[in-house]
């Protein structure tokens, strides 16, 4: 399995800034065949960047899209409009869940719409600080995972990536704490087991599971060596080119 290094730029960079960043990243980055590097800019930058990107080196991800293909949905962009432009899409990010009120039902439809449009969903799941404090982590993870994958048929599981992002570890959270490798390993095991219960062991083993939450060049190596972790979803640190490149180089080193 490849190692996935995904930069979630969130609401940052103008189209021009995004283009300059991509230009520099393309120039700096060797062609690492076993590392899948993905950047997820704002929707408005996706189309111009898709003309600029060299897909042998870098893939593009969307941060969100709407599950209906067309119609009276003011302000939305559909997965079908992103088809051929974005290779991946982040679905169910905690900022979408808690700031924009997305629930598992909507997320389930988004995962299905992404697959239908040949865009690989990166389904984000993770417990809040109080859910963890109340001992609800297992239930929350199971519910979000099963909820998000409800419409994913057995044969389509290979088209899905899961990202475990404990909400309390995300850098935009007020009191963000670093998740420890043990805490992450335990939840990753639970995710793999839940997938195995639904889809069978063999299929579950091939699903990439990423970790996200205050990942930077200083801790990327430790997180990438956690058993069962196949990559990283990076917010803040991905906005700094040198940091992002360091993380990609670390991924390469960890693999070899
Ligand atoms: P962070 O964000 O790396 O800034 O914590 C991760 C994310 O929200 O995907």
């Amino acid at each position: 399995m490849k190692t996935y290094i995904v930069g979630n730029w969130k609401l940052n960079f103008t189209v021009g800034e995004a283009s300059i960043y991509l230009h520099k990243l393309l120039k700096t980055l060797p062609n690492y065949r076993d590392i899948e590097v993905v950047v997820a800019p704002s929707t408005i930058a996706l189309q111009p960047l898709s003309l600029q990107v060299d897909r042998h080196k870098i893939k593009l991800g969307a941060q969100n899209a709407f599950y209906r293909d067309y119609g009276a949905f003011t302000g939305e962009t559909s997965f079908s409009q992103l088809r051929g432009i974005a290779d991946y899409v982040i679905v169910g990010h905690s900022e979408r869940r808690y700031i924009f009120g997305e629930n598992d039902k909507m997320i389930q439809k988004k995962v299905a719409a992404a697959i239908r449009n040949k865009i690989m969903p990166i389904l984000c799941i993770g417990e809040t600080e109080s859910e963890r404090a109340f001992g609800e982590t297992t239930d929350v993870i199971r519910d979000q995972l099963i909820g998000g994958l409800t419409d994913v048929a057995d044969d389509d599981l290979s088209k899905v990536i899961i990202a475990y992002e404990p909400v309390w570890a995300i850098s935009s959270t007020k009191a963000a704490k670093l998740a420890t490798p043990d805490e992450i390993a335990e939840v990753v095991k639970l995710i793999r087991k839940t997938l195995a219960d639904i889809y069978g062991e063999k299929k579950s083993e091939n699903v990439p599971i990423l970790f996200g939450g205050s990942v930077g060049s200083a801790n990327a190596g430790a997180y990438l060596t956690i058993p069962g972790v196949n990559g990283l979803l990076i917010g803040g640190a991905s906005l700094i080119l040198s940091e992002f490149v360091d993380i990609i180089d670390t991924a390469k080193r960890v693999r070899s």
Side-chain angles (χ1 to χ4, degrees):
M1 191 189 299
K2 285 185 177 185
T3 300
Y4 291 80
I5 301 295
V6 183
N8 173 11
W9 290 352
K10 307 190 181 183
L11 182 46
N12 292 287
F13 295 155
T14 63
V15 175
E17 287 164 347
S19 170
I20 291 168
Y21 183 115
L22 183 64
H23 175 77
K24 289 185 184 160
L25 184 60
L26 283 166
K27 248 175 61 183
T28 320
L29 217 57
N31 194 351
Y32 288 148
R33 283 218 315 269
D34 43 7
I35 313 284
E36 182 83 333
V37 178
V38 182
V39 292
S42 297
T43 307
I44 194 175
L46 276 169
Q47 200 274 339
L49 295 201
S50 76
L51 303 176
Q52 182 189 344
V53 77
D54 171 358
R55 283 193 155 83
H56 297 292
K57 281 191 182 178
I58 298 168
K59 302 282 203 305
L60 292 180
Q63 297 175 18
N64 178 40
F66 189 57
Y67 49 83
R68 295 284 292 271
D69 286 348
Y70 57 88
F73 304 103
T74 302
E76 294 296 320
T77 303
S78 69
F79 289 91
S80 61
Q81 289 174 319
L82 294 177
R83 190 176 181 139
I85 293 175
D87 309 284
Y88 294 88
V89 60
I90 299 167
V91 176
H93 190 280
S94 59
E95 285 149 22
R96 301 285 331 159
R97 291 178 192 263
Y98 300 112
I99 303 174
F100 299 100
E102 286 193 16
N103 56 33
D104 283 329
K105 195 110 202 108
M106 294 161 80
I107 290 162
Q108 158 199 337
K109 289 182 184 161
K110 290 187 176 200
V111 168
I115 294 173
R116 194 170 70 235
N117 285 290
K118 310 227 173 322
I119 301 171
M120 201 157 186
I122 301 171
L123 171 63
C124 300
I125 57 176
E127 80 287 0
T128 62
E129 188 172 23
S130 66
E131 286 163 344
R132 176 164 280 262
F134 284 114
E136 295 167 359
T137 302
T138 301
D139 286 346
V140 170
I141 293 296
R142 274 216 197 100
D143 285 354
Q144 291 185 351
L145 188 60
I146 295 169
L149 296 178
T150 304
D151 288 338
V152 177
D154 278 20
D155 285 345
D156 284 339
L157 188 66
S158 59
K159 299 171 186 159
V160 173
I161 295 176
I162 307 295
Y164 171 50
E165 295 208 309
V167 180
W168 47 270
I170 293 179
S171 65
S172 55
T173 319
K174 265 197 209 101
K177 286 191 283 258
L178 283 186
T180 67
D182 283 349
E183 286 168 333
I184 299 164
E186 200 182 323
V187 175
V188 166
K189 232 163 96 184
L190 168 70
I191 294 171
R192 196 80 69 192
K193 162 127 194 359
T194 308
L195 290 173
D197 289 345
I198 311 170
Y199 294 98
E201 199 138 329
K202 208 169 149 36
K203 285 201 159 79
S204 83
E205 277 166 12
N206 297 324
V207 177
I209 300 179
L210 319 186
F211 171 71
S214 300
V215 175
S217 59
N219 56 23
Y223 286 151
L224 282 169
T225 43
I226 299 169
V229 169
N230 310 110
L232 302 168
L233 179 53
I234 305 139
S238 76
L239 299 174
I240 306 157
L241 181 69
S242 59
E243 268 283 300
F244 194 56
V245 170
D246 266 4
I247 295 169
I248 297 165
D249 287 342
T250 303
K252 183 66 194 165
R253 243 189 345 266
V254 166
R255 274 192 81 103
S256 44

